[in-house]
Amino acid sequence: MKNDILSMTPEEIEQELQRLGEPKYRAGQIFDWLSRGIRDFDQMTNLSKALREKLKEEFALYEPKVLSKQVSSLDGTIKYLWELSDGNAVETVVMSYKHGNTVCVSCQVGCRQGCAFCASTIGGLVRSLKPSEILDEVLFSQLDSGKEISNIVLMGIGEPLDNFDNVMRFLELVNHPKGLNIGMRHISLSTCGIIERFDDLADRNLQLTLSVSLHAPDDETRSRLMPANRGRGVDALMAACKRYYERTGRRISFEYAMIDGVNDTEQHARLLAKRAKSVSAHVNLIPLNHVEEREFKPSTAGHMKAFIKILENEGVNVTVRRRLGSDVDASCGQLRRKIMKQNTEDKEKRA
Ligand code: SAH
């Protein structure tokens, strides 16, 4: 198999060039073309023909293809389904806010974490994405939509801490001054709470925001919703969050999807407030997105209001995430699910 030049830093491309007996400065030129979405060595017109031939022999280039693109008529949110080089597909969402455009990227094809309310995990994990595949979600969403991306959230399909090394390399590439140059403070990484990895992340000393998908403040509810809680527990998660905050100085944010009759009672709100205050976390409430295959429903507006009031009275910093793209299946693996289902149905029809 040819080496994945798209996942290499300019410094690594330099080493490759040295190996090929070429001058190092060419690395910057190549990285620059790749960062602009050029995926054909022959279009790299400042390289000699001989070098282009050599590069073609050594490295494979790939450009993700748009399998589906849906634009919300409500708020302009764009949802892409990209085809990867092996035929797998992942989702990317581009959301426009007053302060800029945010892209929500996937880091795996499927997911092995099994959260009970999430569509991404239904078919299990197929494979992890390469750094270049995550990077291309940002790059080609920007090129196709014409919207300059200023913020990234790793909140698409997959568990970032289950694809740790590739996600770290993606962050290095997307943050590179010669690449897309997106600042770490404009990036959020969301995890269901793989606490064994929190220290590794803190070691990197990145200025990103760590979002923890909490969704319940007590073990009984959380273990029911999130298998990742079983054998770990909310106390251990809080201890890991506290340690992360102390080591990095970066405030953690708790994601909390409000589910009717499951995690939205007064007791849940009080315990959540206690948990959030214990680690100085910010709470981000999301009304649950209904997933066809799942029995859960979003909390009522009345319950949400009462819940927010308790948190606010307790002095917790709380925001409610605006629902964007609700007409384009813009949540968590739903588009990929839909297409996968259609494909299976088509296959069954043909059989
Ligand atoms: N694996 C990571 C990131 C992917 S999911 C994680 O668990 O954090 C991004 C966020 O969407 C998570 O907070 C996840 O719990 C939430 N989510 C998943 N399904 C949802 C649904 N149906 N409605 C609302 N939020 C959902």
Side-chain angles (χ1 to χ4, degrees):
M1 229 175 70
K2 295 182 184 179
N3 284 338
D4 180 19
I5 195 171
L6 295 166
S7 292
M8 292 180 193
T9 60
E11 297 72 27
E12 284 173 341
I13 299 177
E14 270 183 14
Q15 286 170 7
E16 292 290 317
L17 289 171
Q18 273 182 318
R19 180 174 64 80
L20 298 173
E22 296 284 339
K24 282 202 307 196
Y25 75 92
R26 294 284 186 202
Q29 296 175 318
I30 297 170
F31 190 77
D32 190 52
W33 286 113
L34 297 178
S35 299
R36 284 194 264 154
I38 297 300
R39 293 301 143 93
D40 173 0
F41 287 116
D42 281 329
Q43 283 179 34
M44 303 186 180
T45 45
N46 53 2
L47 308 181
S48 72
K49 187 134 199 323
L51 175 55
R52 285 185 247 154
E53 291 306 320
K54 242 190 230 178
L55 293 170
K56 277 190 243 175
E57 269 168 43
E58 293 281 330
F59 306 107
L61 293 182
Y62 180 75
E63 178 172 335
K65 289 173 195 66
V66 179
L67 273 182
S68 129
K69 176 183 179 182
Q70 291 176 272
V71 183
S72 164
S73 54
L74 304 172
D75 50 47
T77 297
I78 308 175
K79 178 135 188 172
Y80 290 102
L81 189 71
W82 299 107
E83 186 177 25
L84 307 173
S85 56
D86 64 353
N88 276 304
V90 286
E91 291 172 33
T92 310
V93 182
V94 181
M95 296 160 286
S96 301
Y97 296 95
K98 273 193 224 94
H99 59 264
N101 300 311
T102 297
V103 66
C104 175
V105 296
S106 300
C107 65
Q108 294 183 309
V109 181
C111 181
R112 67 187 182 97
Q113 293 298 336
C115 296
F117 46 81
C118 179
S120 302
T121 198
I122 293 172
L125 174 67
V126 179
R127 71 171 175 87
S128 284
L129 296 190
K130 296 185 282 187
S132 57
E133 290 173 322
I134 312 173
L135 186 67
D136 277 353
E137 290 181 63
V138 183
L139 178 59
F140 286 95
S141 296
Q142 174 166 291
L143 289 173
D144 184 88
S145 67
K147 294 183 181 213
E148 194 181 333
I149 303 296
S150 49
N151 294 276
I152 301 174
V153 293
L154 277 151
M155 293 189 184
I157 301 172
E159 168 50 49
L161 299 187
D162 273 345
N163 187 18
F164 191 84
D165 292 341
N166 289 350
V167 166
M168 291 306 119
R169 170 52 63 94
F170 154 70
L171 292 172
E172 187 182 347
L173 291 171
V174 83
N175 179 239
H176 202 288
K178 293 194 179 112
L180 287 173
N181 196 15
I182 296 178
M184 285 293 171
R185 284 176 183 267
H186 296 266
I187 302 178
S188 293
L189 184 154
S190 181
T191 177
C192 63
I194 310 298
I195 51 179
E196 300 76 10
R197 284 298 199 170
F198 280 27
D199 266 331
D200 298 330
L201 189 61
D203 285 343
R204 306 281 168 139
N205 213 2
L206 305 172
Q207 295 296 299
L208 53 72
T209 300
L210 178 61
S211 289
V212 171
S213 300
L214 189 61
H215 302 317
D218 60 288
D219 281 326
E220 195 191 324
T221 318
R222 194 164 192 271
S223 291
R224 176 182 159 208
L225 294 174
M226 305 178 71
N229 194 63
R230 300 173 198 158
R232 291 190 176 101
V234 181
D235 284 344
L237 177 58
M238 292 305 121
C241 288
K242 190 150 188 261
R243 192 173 150 82
Y244 184 87
Y245 177 46
E246 282 166 2
R247 287 193 59 198
T248 62
R250 302 286 300 162
R251 220 176 264 276
I252 287 179
S253 138
F254 286 161
E255 303 289 308
Y256 200 99
M258 302 231 9
I259 313 176
D260 187 41
V262 175
N263 64 357
D264 63 349
T265 67
E266 196 182 313
Q267 282 109 300
H268 287 118
R270 294 201 190 287
L271 185 54
L272 171 60
K274 208 171 130 197
R275 298 289 198 189
K277 284 195 284 186
S278 75
V279 297
S280 310
H282 168 108
V283 174
N284 198 2
L285 295 177
I286 324 153
L288 181 86
N289 274 299
H290 180 67
V291 173
E292 219 175 86
E293 294 85 346
R294 306 300 206 186
E295 78 264 35
F296 301 113
K297 292 196 170 53
S299 300
T300 61
H303 277 151
M304 281 195 75
K305 224 171 131 188
F307 200 89
I308 295 165
K309 196 142 187 235
I310 295 173
L311 293 174
E312 280 175 345
N313 285 346
E314 293 285 339
V316 175
N317 189 340
V318 52
T319 48
V320 180
R321 196 190 294 162
R322 232 174 10 118
R323 270 180 99 149
L324 290 175
S326 45
D327 55 335
V328 294
D329 309 304
S331 126
C332 320
Q334 297 203 50
L335 181 61
R336 177 175 162 261
R337 269 303 294 161
K338 204 158 143 187
I339 304 269
M340 268 165 49
K341 255 169 63 179
Q342 274 164 7
N343 287 347
T344 337
E345 280 163 16
D346 289 350
K347 266 184 215 149
E348 278 163 5
K349 264 186 223 145
R350 267 183 265 129

